[in-house]
């Protein structure tokens, strides 16, 4: 029975109400509980160690397989260039096996479990994206392209006897399109990774892989678009006429250089012939001027539409091309221009590296050469210096300079269309030129131009290639001469701050040096120095630097060697534009900083720069993060 106390209450206390200190547990039961707890803890620790060990092995495995894939890329490239079909296929199979295994591991249950762990989880999720992207690129891009590459008759892809056979381009178009889309999607997948949350050991390789995919995407976009467009643009449906602008980087313009030499290309069912050759000065001034978009005219003045030499003061090549088309057609009644191409002397050098040296054969120009020390044999090593410097030292008459320039361009064109040299280096020269923004294409046909706009060939400052956090630095000569041959420039992006709302602040830093000799005023020809005709003392270089920020951002300040300087500002579409003029004496250097604020950065920032005689690797320095001040 249950005892009742004096108050009539039971002295039985439910177990759940008994104070912990008063619970009496037999010693044997205590031992059993402790043993069970100990065993459970030991099992948990063992599982943790085992899982950690397995995960460590998986991390090492994924890393090894991805590194092995990367290391096989040069080998595959060498085998392809050597036309070693079976060996290239064997290498590809190894690559495909490595990336497939890495993908399986990086998407497995243990890896997914690690992906939800605080802090470290973001690193595992990022590596998963890398592994998936690597497998997609190898299996869906490299594989189809490998089959096409090994089956292509490469010689048929470049001109032979002035004609290009476009049949194989049509056949390769589907594989190129698939590869292009695969690489683009993989690039977008990696750009979505927030690198700021990752360990450096993870972030740095992803940053490098993203850059490589972006470069591959650019090349594939150009190749894919070429396969789609070239058949029609080469006149398979009807004859076409194109205007070629040869840009002279010795007098810089936003897209490269002053379009001094002009040429007409006629194409008919793949057959390419060189038509009339002329010069920008030969067209004279246009009064009234050719119509130009008012917004750009406000930035670059009415000179855009009054002289061929100034159509590319704007960095927007579609605008420059459409204006050049209008000028040519006004001076050549009844002639219709279907498109415009532009290239510079460096492109001629790349082509000469592929075709081999060429001789100048024009009789009038040969007589000119006999009276000077100019070469009659042009090579990849001497063509740039000859066209951009030596010709001005040796020949004082501008019309004779233009004639020499045209003769050289004609010889290079003839070598190209005749199929001189191996076709693969020729195609690589063109792709390199496009990647370095030295080669532009514009079509007057809206459907064709829409496709071109998705490639580096478009040269547009408002198209899809200018989206995201894209900055631009462009140069326009203000000396009125050929002194830019002596200008060296570097450009760098410095990311400074990011507000809680996600807006960033960037400084675009440009360093420029006038490398002309100290006695340039007396030792260089007046045609090179300008002779003070436009208010610039001989030997000095005056340049208008044009800075474009990302859409919706703002130009804040400009400093030159640390001191504030005036900055002209305006808009081009949704992009802010700042303009600063710098003048340098011989051997003088300056550093110009332009600050942009309210930059929305949803991807790694990009920087587009006017192409110069130096390579982009020499001109565009790696971006840096700078502590907020």
């Amino acid at each position: 029975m249950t005892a009742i106390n004096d108050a009539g209450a039971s002295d039985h206390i439910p177990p759940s109400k008994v104070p912990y200190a008063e619970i009496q547990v037999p010693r044997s039961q205590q031992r059993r509980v402790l043993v069970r707890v100990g065993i459970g803890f030991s099992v948990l620790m063992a599982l943790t160690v085992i899982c950690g060990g397995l995960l460590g092995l998986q991390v090492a495995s994924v890393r090894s397989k991805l590194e092995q894939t990367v290391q096989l890329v040069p080998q595959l490239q060498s085998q392809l260039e050597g036309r070693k079909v079976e060996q290239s296929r064997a290498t590809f199979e190894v690559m495909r096996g490595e990336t497939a295994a890495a993908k399986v591991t990086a998407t497995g249950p243990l890896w997914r479990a690690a992906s939800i762990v605080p802090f470290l989880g973001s690193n595992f999720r990022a590596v998963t994206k890398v592994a998936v992207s690597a497998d997609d690129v190898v299996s869906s891009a490299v594989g189809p392209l490998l089959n096409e590459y090994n089956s292509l008759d490469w010689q048929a892809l470049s001109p032979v006897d002035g004609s290009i056979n476009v049949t194989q381009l049509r056949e390769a178009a589907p594989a190129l399109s698939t590869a292009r889309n695969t690489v683009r999607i993989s690039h977008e997948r990696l750009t979505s990774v927030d690198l700021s949350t990752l360990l450096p050991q993870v972030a740095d390789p992803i940053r490098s892989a993203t850059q490589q995919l972006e470069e591959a995407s650019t090349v594939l976009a150009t190749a894919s678009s070429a396969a789609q467009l070239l058949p029609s643009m080469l006149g398979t449906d009807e004859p076409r006429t194109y205007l070629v602008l040869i840009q002279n980087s010795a007098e810089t313009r936003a897209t490269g250089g002053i379009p001094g030499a002009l040429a007409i290309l006629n194409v008919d069912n793949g057959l390419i012939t060189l038509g009339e050759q002329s010069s920008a000065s030969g067209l004279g001034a246009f009064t009234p001027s050719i119509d130009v978009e008012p917004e750009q005219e406000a930035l670059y003045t009415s000179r855009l539409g009054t002289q061929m030499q100034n159509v590319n003061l704007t960095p927007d090549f579609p605008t420059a091309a459409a204006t050049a088309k209008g000028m040519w057609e006004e001076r050549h009644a009844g002639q219709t221009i279907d498109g415009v191409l532009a290239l510079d002397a460096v492109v001629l050098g790349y082509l000469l590296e592929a075709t081999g040296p060429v001789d100048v054969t024009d009789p009038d120009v040969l007589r000119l050469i006999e009276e000077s020390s100019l070469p009659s044999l042009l090579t990849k090593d001497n063509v740039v210096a000859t066209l951009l410097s030596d010709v001005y030292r040796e020949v004082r008459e501008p019309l004779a300079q233009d004639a020499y320039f045209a003769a050289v361009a004609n010889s290079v064109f003839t070598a190209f269309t005749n199929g001189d040299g191996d076709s693969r280096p020729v195609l690589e020269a063109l792709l390199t030129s496009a990647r370095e923004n030295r080669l532009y294409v514009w079509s007057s046909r809206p459907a064709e131009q829409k496709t071109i706009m998705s490639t580096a060939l478009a040269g547009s400052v408002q198209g899809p290639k200018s989206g995201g956090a894209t900055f631009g630095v462009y140069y326009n000569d203000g000396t009125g001469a050929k002194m830019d041959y002596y200008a060296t420039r570097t450009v760098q992006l410095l990311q400074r701050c990011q507000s809680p709302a996600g807006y960033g602040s960037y400084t675009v830093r440009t360093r420029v040096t006038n490398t002309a000799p100290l006695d340039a005023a007396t030792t260089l020809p007046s045609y090179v120095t300008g002779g003070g005709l436009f208010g610039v003392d001989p030997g000095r270089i005056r340049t208008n630097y044009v800075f474009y920020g990302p859409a919706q951002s703002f130009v804040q300040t400009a400093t030159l060697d640390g001191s504030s300087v005036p900055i002209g500002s305006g808009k081009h579409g949704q992009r802010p534009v700042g303009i600063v003029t710098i003048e340098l004496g011989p051997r003088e250097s300056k550093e110009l900083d332009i600050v942009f604020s309210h930059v929305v950065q949803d991807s790694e920032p990009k920087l587009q720069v006017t192409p110069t005689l130096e390579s982009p690797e020499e001109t565009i320095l790696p971006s840096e993060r700078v502590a907020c001040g």
Side-chain angles (χ1 to χ4, degrees), residues 233-301:
M233 294 188 72
L234 286 172
T236 55
D237 302 321
E238 59 180 334
R240 299 284 188 96
T241 300
Y242 297 101
L243 174 64
V244 181
L245 312 179
I246 302 176
Q247 301 187 105
N248 187 334
S249 303
E251 186 173 347
T252 191
R253 290 289 187 272
T255 64
I258 186 172
L262 313 174
I264 291 294
L265 286 184
N266 298 304
V267 296
D268 187 1
N269 199 27
L271 180 64
I272 309 172
T273 56
L274 185 64
E276 180 182 349
Q277 290 183 268
S278 182
S279 65
S281 58
L283 296 185
F286 291 81
T287 307
S289 63
I290 302 296
D291 288 339
V292 178
E293 188 179 69
E295 186 177 55
Q296 294 194 64
E297 186 174 302
L299 286 169
Y300 304 107
T301 76

Side-chain angles (χ1 to χ4, degrees), residues 504-522:
S505 174
Y506 280 85
T507 295
V508 183
R509 173 165 294 169
T510 303
R511 297 184 179 93
V512 56
T513 300
N514 178 354
T515 67
L518 292 173
D519 58 356
T522 56

Side-chain angles (χ1 to χ4, degrees), residues 276 283 286 325-337:
E276 180 182 349
L283 296 185
F286 291 81
K325 165 184 164 71
M327 290 181 174
W328 184 271
E329 291 177 345
E330 185 166 314
R331 290 289 189 264
H332 298 78
Q335 190 171 129
T336 299
I337 297 298

Side-chain angles (χ1 to χ4, degrees), residues 372-421:
S372 68
S373 62
L374 291 174
S376 60
L377 182 71
L378 277 301
T379 71
K380 65 182 180 65
D381 297 317
N382 69 7
V383 66
V384 173
T386 298
L387 294 179
L388 303 187
S389 177
D390 298 347
V391 69
Y392 304 118
R393 182 189 67 244
E394 299 292 329
V395 180
R396 301 303 175 98
E397 174 56 46
L399 290 178
Q401 296 166 357
D402 291 341
Y404 182 81
F405 211 111
V408 171
N410 187 12
S411 296
V412 175
F413 170 79
T414 301
F416 168 66
T417 56
N418 283 344
D420 292 359

